[in-house]
Amino acid sequence: MGALGSRIRWLWARNAPDEPGAPREEQAAEAAVVQEERESEAGPVATSHGGRKRKACPGSPSGRSPRRKYAKAKGETVYNALFLRGEGSDIQIRALGLEWNLHRAYLCQSGYFASMFSGAWRESSMDTIDMQMPDENINPESLQDVLGSLYQGVAVIPPNRVISILATASMLQLDDLIHQCEEVMRETLGATTVCSYYYSAENYGLQNLRAICRQWLLDNLLIQRSTELLLEIPVELMVELISCSELLVIGVEIDVYNMLKRWMFLQLHPTWVGPQRSLQTDVDLWVATWRTESSGASCFLDTEEGRTFVPVFQQLRLAYIISELSSAQVIEQDALIPATWVAHMYKEQWLILLQAQQTRDPRTGEIRLPEIEGHSMRCGSLLRRDEQCVWRWAGFGFAWDLVVCYTNRRIVFRRSALNDSGGFGVSLLWQRKVAFRLRLVCLDRAGRVIFRKNTGYRVLCLKTNEELEVVNLENQDLVFPIYVSCNFLYIPRERPCPEGRLLKQNRELSRSFLDSWAFKYVQDSTCLFETSCIYPPLMIHSV
């Protein structure tokens, strides 16, 4: 199994049930095959020893071939005579405008029919059964294939029909065939099939397959440049994906926002056609046109057309978007997100910054896994080749310049004291702590995982210029490129009294100032970074 349209062996425990009521035609068919075998074996065999017949060794190919030939001929004869021609039929099945003259002994391999023909059911004594198909995925072709597999012992499952065959097998309660369908779906999982497989797995109770499809989406949503994939993801599934900390983000949170813009555009314009490279241009043009027509009166998500997408955009982690100037400008210029969302986030981040900058107590606040899962910064990078590489992820540590190094198959975190991270200063006053989790993922061309490594959540505490080896890959069989993804969450420090009173005063002062500013932001749509009295919070640094 692996090639599209591959022939999948589906072997039942008993191909022809050994019951007293088994059709006589089957016995005649088997007898004909046996007679043919005997005649073939009795034929002359040429030898080089005076015409003596050489006896075949039971372990040799010639000794095994009659068995295979018999089994194959038996299956074909039974299928043609009993299923296709309906010889010796004792029951007729009607469904979807078609009729099949079949045999109870074979149908009882199905849990559905076995239950129907046993007990006091009305159908147990009927010669003709009219079946209703409650599942729209079941069609005449799939029903023909599945019923025929009861006679043939072999089911052909083309990937483009696997969902209809799965639906039919589920209704007829054929567990082995359901398992074979699941295997085909796993091997053909990709951008064009993942959504249909995901919902089929959900509908037919294949929880393992559903989890595999969900993980594929988390790994590939921001990597696969596929308009078909974005078109097929509905709102409720996108909410689940964007809210998850397992989402493989290559870049930073603003890249998640840009992907959602493309997704929303395609949901609103499902007939859009064009090259992938022009999609972002058309999205930006659509946003600019809408902003001009609305004259800035409201944000798009506040409109009737945009309310459908509110639950998705609510899952964005805006705290890590407004921490970078160009990203904050994109949010302001697009005017898709309500100003009240952004104003609240600026206020919240400013208070967190005050706590981070004005607290020197070495103790850290309590942190729980749900907080990391729901509020951590998601970021990532791509290692294209096995060579030294250095990069930074900013915005999570309040002026803590963390440098990430890949060298000699090791990934190292280093806290830098150099003020060369894009012009922003760094804090040198005390230790900083963050919770983090690093993940490494290598995917094949279809987006399936070849290699995965996860450090789990750990607490990082580094002094100035101190470094920590996070991952060692020396003994790993790696395939490049490798996606490196990380979750970060700054751990605020506890405030003991009397410094707690000072922080409370600062909070009250800040709330008073930010409340008045937030009102102006909402009323006038004044952008925070256009004023001279305040800057995006995560960019402010200690001196």
Side-chain angles (χ1 to χ4, degrees):
M1 301 188 319
L4 297 184
S6 62
R7 191 177 181 85
I8 297 182
R9 295 279 175 188
W10 176 39
L11 302 178
W12 294 97
R14 49 195 179 115
N15 182 48
D18 189 13
E19 297 181 3
R24 295 180 179 178
E25 284 76 5
E26 178 195 351
Q27 299 174 5
E30 292 182 8
V33 175
V34 172
Q35 180 64 27
E36 183 182 350
E37 281 294 328
R38 290 175 178 173
E39 293 176 357
S40 175
E41 292 177 359
V45 179
T47 67
S48 59
H49 298 282
R52 294 179 61 188
K53 184 181 294 185
R54 184 170 52 210
K55 186 176 180 181
C57 175
S60 66
S62 60
R64 292 193 304 267
S65 59
R67 286 181 178 271
R68 293 201 301 268
K69 182 179 178 182
Y70 169 76
K72 180 179 178 181
K74 173 187 172 182
E76 291 177 354
T77 303
V78 169
Y79 179 79
N80 291 332
L82 304 186
F83 180 71
L84 294 182
R85 295 195 298 269
E87 297 177 4
S89 170
D90 59 359
I91 189 168
Q92 185 180 74
I93 302 296
R94 296 175 182 174
L96 302 174
L98 299 177
E99 297 178 353
W100 289 270
N101 296 316
L102 304 176
H103 310 82
R104 293 173 183 266
Y106 280 88
L107 293 180
C108 282
Q109 296 175 90
S110 157
Y112 176 86
F113 286 112
S115 176
M116 178 185 292
F117 297 150
S118 64
W121 294 101
R122 179 169 57 94
E123 291 85 356
S124 61
S125 60
M126 295 175 61
D127 295 330
T128 301
I129 296 178
D130 292 303
M131 295 180 61
Q132 302 298 322
M133 298 295 131
D135 191 337
E136 61 182 9
N137 286 325
I138 300 176
N139 54 46
E141 292 79 10
S142 66
L143 194 54
Q144 172 83 5
D145 292 340
V146 173
L147 291 175
S149 69
L150 299 176
Y151 291 80
Q152 198 174 22
V154 175
V156 177
I157 309 179
N160 61 340
R161 289 168 53 197
V162 66
I163 293 177
S164 62
I165 293 177
L166 172 63
T168 309
S170 297
M171 188 197 74
L172 298 182
Q173 302 172 27
L174 298 171
D175 293 339
D176 288 349
L177 185 54
I178 291 172
H179 176 70
Q180 295 292 346
C181 289
E182 184 175 0
E183 289 298 317
V184 172
M185 296 167 84
R186 288 188 184 191
E187 294 183 1
T188 57
L189 186 63
T192 59
T193 60
V194 62
C195 290
S196 60
Y197 287 179
Y198 175 88
Y199 282 107
S200 296
E202 197 170 63
N203 291 336
Y204 303 116
L206 305 180
Q207 295 305 317
N208 289 337
L209 180 62
R210 180 187 181 277
I212 291 172
C213 293
R214 180 178 181 273
Q215 189 61 56
W216 189 99
L217 287 166
L218 291 172
D219 290 337
N220 290 272
L221 184 59
L222 275 82
I223 296 174
Q224 295 278 343
R225 297 290 182 175
S226 171
T227 56
E228 292 81 5
L229 176 61
L230 293 179
L231 270 171
E232 291 184 2
I233 299 179
V235 170
E236 59 273 13
L237 179 55
M238 188 62 84
V239 169
E240 181 180 350
L241 297 174
I242 300 301
S243 64
C244 184
S245 65
E246 298 284 337
L247 182 66
L248 187 63
V249 176
I250 302 302
V252 286
E253 196 72 18
I254 190 63
D255 296 293
V256 182
Y257 169 79
N258 287 328
M259 182 276 297
L260 287 182
K261 283 199 303 183
R262 297 191 295 272
W263 167 77
M264 182 169 64
F265 172 80
L266 291 172
Q267 296 293 313
L268 295 171
H269 305 87
T271 59
W272 179 88
V273 177
Q276 181 64 41
R277 62 179 178 275
S278 66
L279 176 58
Q280 189 63 51
T281 303
D282 291 350
V283 171
D284 293 338
L285 179 61
W286 167 70
V287 171
T289 301
W290 178 88
R291 189 173 60 246
T292 301
E293 293 175 352
S294 65
S295 302
S298 63
C299 293
F300 180 76
L301 294 182
D302 283 336
T303 66
E304 183 176 354
E305 188 178 28
R307 288 192 188 101
T308 303
F309 307 100
V310 166
V312 178
F313 281 82
Q314 284 178 332
Q315 308 308 317
L316 283 170
R317 303 184 180 187
L318 288 174
Y320 304 108
I321 295 180
I322 65 172
S323 64
E324 203 274 324
L325 180 58
S326 62
S327 300
Q329 288 174 330
V330 169
I331 296 294
E332 171 69 13
Q333 292 168 2
D334 286 349
L336 299 177
I337 295 178
T340 51
W341 294 14
V342 183
H344 170 77
M345 191 56 60
Y346 276 122
K347 174 180 176 180
E348 182 177 294
Q349 290 300 98
W350 173 255
L351 295 175
I352 294 175
L353 176 66
L354 289 179
Q355 183 179 9
Q357 295 293 348
Q358 298 181 17
T359 304
R360 304 184 182 221
D361 183 64
R363 294 177 295 176
T364 58
E366 217 180 299
I367 189 165
R368 299 177 180 85
L369 184 60
E371 295 177 359
I372 303 178
E373 295 283 350
H375 301 92
S376 60
M377 172 182 173
R378 301 175 292 194
C379 52
S381 187
L382 177 63
L383 292 174
R384 299 185 181 276
R385 292 172 294 276
D386 189 8
E387 60 185 23
Q388 185 171 344
C389 185
V390 179
W391 69 94
R392 286 180 171 87
W393 290 311
F396 61 88
F398 298 96
W400 180 7
D401 189 12
L402 187 68
V403 179
V404 186
C405 306
Y406 174 78
T407 179
N408 296 326
R409 294 209 164 190
R410 291 178 171 86
I411 294 181
V412 176
F413 286 169
R414 185 177 73 248
R415 182 183 177 187
S416 175
L418 299 177
N419 187 11
D420 58 356
S421 56
F424 304 122
V426 295
S427 173
L428 307 178
L429 296 180
W430 53 82
Q431 286 183 339
R432 292 296 179 86
K433 290 187 177 182
V434 294
F436 79 93
R437 178 187 61 185
L438 187 72
R439 292 176 293 150
L440 304 175
V441 179
C442 180
L443 307 172
D444 64 13
R445 291 187 177 182
R448 296 186 290 265
V449 173
I450 300 174
F451 169 81
R452 186 189 300 275
K453 189 174 182 65
N454 189 335
T455 65
Y457 282 105
R458 300 163 58 183
V459 175
L460 180 65
C461 181
L462 295 178
K463 299 177 181 178
T464 303
N465 292 323
E466 187 178 3
E467 64 181 36
L468 171 69
E469 180 181 297
V470 180
V471 174
N472 189 326
L473 303 171
E474 279 187 324
N475 299 321
Q476 300 288 341
D477 186 14
L478 302 179
V479 178
F480 288 81
I482 293 178
Y483 297 96
V484 182
S485 181
C486 204
N487 295 76
F488 288 104
L489 182 64
Y490 172 72
I491 304 177
R493 300 183 181 279
E494 292 181 342
R495 288 292 311 220
C497 192
E499 289 187 4
R501 289 197 296 268
L502 177 60
L503 179 59
K504 181 178 179 181
Q505 294 172 1
N506 287 333
R507 281 181 171 173
E508 292 174 352
L509 179 62
S510 298
R511 284 197 180 98
S512 176
F513 168 74
L514 287 171
D515 284 342
S516 62
W517 171 82
F519 177 78
K520 184 175 185 298
Y521 183 93
V522 174
Q523 293 295 108
D524 301 338
S525 297
T526 302
C527 181
L528 182 61
F529 45 76
E530 291 176 349
T531 65
S532 59
C533 59
I534 191 170
Y535 298 91
L538 294 184
M539 295 179 183
I540 299 177
H541 56 86
S542 56
V543 295

